[in-house]
Amino acid sequence: MDWPRLPRFGRDTAWFYSSAAIVAVAGLIKLRQGVADYTQTETHCYQSVRTNSEVEPYVNCFSVSPTGKFSKVFQAGEGTELVKNANPGFVMPGLWDGHGHLLQYGEFLNSVDLFGSTSMNEVRSRVRNYAKENPGTGSKDEWLRGVGWDQMALGKMPTADDLAEDKELKDLYIMLDRVDVHCIWVSQAVLDLLPDSIPDVPGGEIVRDPGMGVFCDNAMDMVMALWPKPDNKKKQQFVKSAMENLNEVGLVGMHDAGVTPGNLNLYKELAGRDDWTLRVYAMIECNERNTFCPNEVEKYISPDGFLSIKSVKLFADGALGSWGSALIDPYTDRPDTSGSLLVNASELVYNTIAWANEGFQVNIHAIGDLANRYAIDAMVAALRLLCPDEPLSLCQSYHRFRIEHSQIIHPDDQARMHAVGIIPSIQPTHATSDMAYAEKRLGKERTAKEAYRMRSLLDVNPVLGSDFPVEPPNPFQGIYAAVTRRSPHTGKGTDDSPDGWYTEEALDLDQAIRGFTEGPAYGGFTKTGVIKPGAYADWIVLDAPLEKIDIEDLRSLKVRETWVAGKKVYSRD
Ligand SMILES: [Zn+2]
């Protein structure tokens, strides 16, 4: 049955699923049947429509039902009124980001942008300008936030003293996320809130040399606990500005990789409103990471498909940049460490089984090859219990467990992913950002055999995304990175080379498009990413068919229009 988009039903799942509510919805549909624009099917014709469907790959028209789904997809004949009055432009299914962070992106849009800064002076000047433009920020109640610094680009690990060198910043409360959001750099005012002597934290790092100021992974928690969290009004503003920006780059949906129960309640409240213009497939992140918290949150699929909660995010390790990802063998450039797991193997197995048993899809963050191994172990253990009499791959096709990032995977474990069908969730722009240092961390052989696989994982339905705000959300830049294995920012490979990085793992254009459409649809149990009857009527309009555009032009491609559920949510003009 098709559900119309009825905002008030977005609020309360239990109530919605009661039979009384269903009768009420049915009654409403009936009542409204007399209203012309509510029941009327709308037909849209364009110069051409790429459907992503094998049945009719290219047509020129489709109809949209009042419930916001495609009802008919067809080729109108030459000379017909429909073709004569067709809209200019070339259509393809709306794109999805398979791994991003909605609220954090909104927060990023409302904070100081440090991406690409190459010196302490540049960081200080950007922070100073931001503080000037946003009076009041930097107080004890509203810390000045920023994201995008990278100690490699700055030439040293930053400290609180580096911020204090600027007298206008000296007394401000400042917290700046590193480019991969796995570390924070804070000012002296924030440090002063912490106890004098701070013990080390398992699964985290407190950087003490060259001075205090940076906290990574689990060590971030003690600072985050002090940070005055934005209230719901602020968060609502974050969601709105994030969705506007995401629609603008051609996104119609995203997989939100870790949302706390409190924020999920806010999402439920907002998801029925007119300015919620993006489909969100949210993964639960318990208030205490890597736990089982079914009492804090319930499964929820909004009737109009704008919000789905039926998956959970667990974390196996940290990031490669900070030597935080857990490797089987030590880092090549730091033989004293193999990184660290954020959870022990048996806990990961326990949580995976517990969530899967409740019917949740389990998505585990795993970067290093040890973390990926443990993630696969946990998933296989859960599948064995869930379907004792069925092949693992069949069982996996119902549960669709995913590994978020799937960045460095031992060949033996790649074989297990293929055999079981475990879904890799990959960010092509992580490969092209990390290519500057990945080989230093991993060595040549490990990089060549294990790291940043794409093409060799094609048979297991990869989900592609950007991890925004870690990388910009523009999916065309992701497609570019997947196809060329070069940076969409520079158009170059490593060390300014014109060649791509390990291009044997590159995708072709169709495969990359699938990763941003069908991949997230399968990995998120959503009828999307395709223009065919019954699928959500989400599409984008381009100035030329994507396959006719020079690949280099994808780096700066601008979408003409974005439509979600049959409604225009972005127009360039
Ligand atoms: Zn992420």
Side-chain angles (χ1 to χ4, degrees), residues 99-101 180-182 255-258 313 315 365 404-405 427 430 466-470:
H99 180 124
H101 302 273
D180 60 2
V181 299
H182 278 268
H255 293 184
D256 204 341
K313 173 105 177 272
F315 294 80
H365 164 116
E404 300 306 310
H405 307 304
Q427 298 74 43
H430 277 351
S466 69
D467 205 3
F468 62 74
V470 179

Side-chain angles (χ1 to χ4, degrees), residues 346-359:
S346 57
E347 252 178 287
L348 196 60
V349 172
Y350 168 81
N351 285 319
T352 302
I353 291 173
W355 280 108
N357 235 344
E358 293 287 318

Side-chain angles (χ1 to χ4, degrees), residues 429-446:
T429 43
H430 277 351
T432 54
S433 290
D434 294 2
M435 66 187 175
Y437 61 82
E439 219 172 79
K440 278 190 210 116
R441 297 273 189 287
L442 301 171
K444 260 207 154 59
E445 202 191 331
R446 195 159 36 177

